Amino acid sequence: MQNRRDFITKAGLATAAAGTTALAAPYVRAQSPITWRLQTYAGPALGEHVIKPAIDAFNKAANGEMTIELYYADQLVPTGELFRAMQNGTIDAVQSDDDSMAAPVDVRVFGGYFPFATRYSLDVQALFYKYGLKEIWEEAYGEVDNVTWLSAGSWDPCHFNTKDPIRSLDDLKGKRVFTFPTAGKFLSRFGVVPVTLPWEDVEVAVQTGELDGIAWSGITEDYTVGWADVTKYFLTNNICGAWVGSFFANTERWNAVPPHLQELFRLTMDSSHYYRLHWYWAGEANLRVTGGKMELTTIPDEQWATVEAEAEKFWDEVATTSPRAGRVVQILRDYRETMRKAGPPYRYS
């Protein structure tokens, strides 16, 4: 019996020791986690909503195996240099639209606000994951060295918020406006003067008179980042129903991430997309009704139809820039026609 007790005791100690040894491996891994630096297009106030909750959740769920350090607009590199910085490994990942970061791909023009490409935020996800844009973006970025496109989602619609009221197309003429590259190129057809500035300088530029207004967001962002405090009017007409933004990563760094953490990051991106859907959708309506800081103005339908008609010409021009751009424009048109035929609530006109 004594020998039996000795055996059981020794076996238990051996098991405990083995267990201790087995548990030591994760602890060693936790001392050297994968560390990424991700820069977003958004400033700190906006980043609190459009990216930080998702990254905080990822870091918690990664349980010490990987940490993502989050940087806001222009903190590490200017937004226009994000693509090159990611490609050469200065930063590991980016949240931005293709247009703002000067991505050297022919689908760049469709990132951000492509005029009248979408009516509602859900259009972006439908176009990418049901109508084939995902495969086209993967194809385009597959031709670029060391950058991987990961996922696209929708943000807010593109409205004007201005110091003076906009009640007709003539009121747009000569207005110096902070906006995205493609949106600015289109709006210049109506006399708008696009201005490029670092994101953090925009509010001061409005106050000093360098800018007359902003066409960069919907009303939710105007209130969130402080622009509603320096502009008096919000134009209810928009040139696009949702901004198209994406997540990207340095390919070498992405391939070095274990499959389970890649999957966790994909879930994180989906979580980020979902958060923005309800945050913007609720905010756009609520702040029009309860905001109180900006007066709502509207350009009459008959005049705004001129803008929509010009967008058709703009689409035709872009479609000729490359076969792939032509495919995207055709998908946008096919999707729009399906929505129109489906009728309310998909399209009311």
Side-chain angles (χ1 to χ4, degrees):
M1 181 62 72
Q2 184 64 36
N3 289 340
R4 185 177 178 186
R5 288 195 186 103
D6 290 344
F7 174 79
I8 292 171
T9 301
K10 291 176 181 177
L13 290 172
T15 302
T20 302
T21 303
L23 290 172
Y27 178 79
V28 171
R29 288 199 299 270
Q31 302 311 297
S32 301
I34 298 167
T35 302
W36 270 16
R37 299 200 299 177
L38 184 155
Q39 184 169 312
T40 176
Y41 74 98
L46 180 59
E48 284 289 329
H49 291 278
V50 301
I51 183 66
K52 189 174 185 297
I55 297 304
D56 286 347
F58 176 89
N59 287 339
K60 182 177 180 180
N63 199 29
E65 293 185 64
M66 181 170 175
T67 300
I68 298 176
E69 299 172 352
L70 178 61
Y71 296 88
Y72 298 107
D74 305 312
Q75 277 193 320
L76 295 179
V77 297
T79 297
E81 298 176 16
L82 280 175
F83 187 91
R84 297 303 180 191
M86 174 173 49
Q87 189 176 45
N88 65 31
T90 302
I91 54 179
D92 304 295
V94 166
Q95 181 202 44
S96 177
D97 68 287
D98 318 68
D99 202 22
S100 296
M101 69 175 192
V105 292
D106 52 6
V107 296
R108 163 185 168 178
V109 67
F110 302 104
Y113 291 121
F114 189 64
F116 297 97
T118 58
R119 180 73 63 87
Y120 307 118
S121 51
L122 275 174
D123 290 340
V124 174
Q125 275 82 347
L127 283 162
F128 270 84
Y129 302 108
K130 293 296 183 183
Y131 276 73
L133 294 193
K134 172 181 178 287
E135 289 73 20
I136 291 178
W137 258 245
E138 289 173 338
E139 173 189 295
Y141 283 93
E143 299 170 1
V144 177
D145 289 338
N146 213 27
V147 169
T148 297
W149 174 86
L150 295 173
S151 180
S154 63
W155 273 251
D156 49 341
C158 184
H159 292 262
F160 285 84
N161 53 300
T162 53
K163 296 166 69 173
D164 298 319
I166 305 295
R167 295 191 173 94
S168 71
L169 288 182
D170 285 342
D171 292 335
L172 293 174
K173 293 178 180 178
K175 292 292 188 293
R176 294 160 298 177
V177 173
F178 173 70
T179 189
F180 291 89
T182 296
K185 183 178 179 181
F186 175 70
L187 290 170
S188 65
R189 301 183 179 208
F190 303 94
V192 172
V193 180
V195 178
T196 301
L197 290 170
W199 190 90
E200 288 290 347
D201 294 343
V202 171
E203 185 173 340
V204 173
V206 174
Q207 292 173 303
T208 61
E210 185 178 354
L211 289 174
D212 299 304
I214 303 162
W216 202 84
S217 70
I219 200 169
T220 308
E221 288 189 17
D222 293 338
Y223 277 80
T224 301
V225 305
W227 292 341
D229 297 322
V230 296
T231 54
K232 296 181 180 179
Y233 301 94
F234 179 84
L235 183 65
T236 59
N237 312 76
N238 69 59
I239 66 163
C240 193
W243 186 77
V244 179
S246 293
F247 286 87
F248 308 83
N250 174 280
T251 301
E252 291 178 3
R253 295 290 281 163
W254 174 249
N255 290 340
V257 174
H260 70 288
L261 290 177
Q262 287 187 350
E263 192 62 28
L264 180 60
F265 192 66
R266 293 187 190 280
L267 292 171
T268 298
M269 291 185 289
D270 286 344
S271 173
S272 175
H273 298 330
Y274 172 71
Y275 180 97
R276 290 190 312 276
L277 280 177
H278 63 75
W279 185 63
Y280 280 120
W281 183 257
E284 295 303 301
N286 180 59
L287 289 170
R288 287 193 188 197
V289 176
T290 67
K293 292 182 179 180
M294 294 190 291
E295 179 183 334
L296 305 183
T297 64
T298 301
I299 294 175
D301 290 344
E302 60 273 16
Q303 289 189 36
W304 198 245
T306 303
V307 182
E308 295 188 8
E310 192 64 30
E312 290 296 316
K313 299 176 186 177
F314 189 75
W315 284 25
D316 288 338
E317 294 167 12
V318 170
T320 65
T321 58
S322 76
R324 187 156 47 215
R327 286 159 55 199
V328 174
V329 169
Q330 189 58 54
I331 287 173
L332 294 177
R333 284 187 162 135
D334 291 344
Y335 177 77
R336 183 179 60 186
E337 186 61 22
T338 297
M339 295 297 107
R340 284 176 175 172
K341 289 180 178 178
Y346 299 95
R347 293 293 186 271
Y348 287 88
S349 61

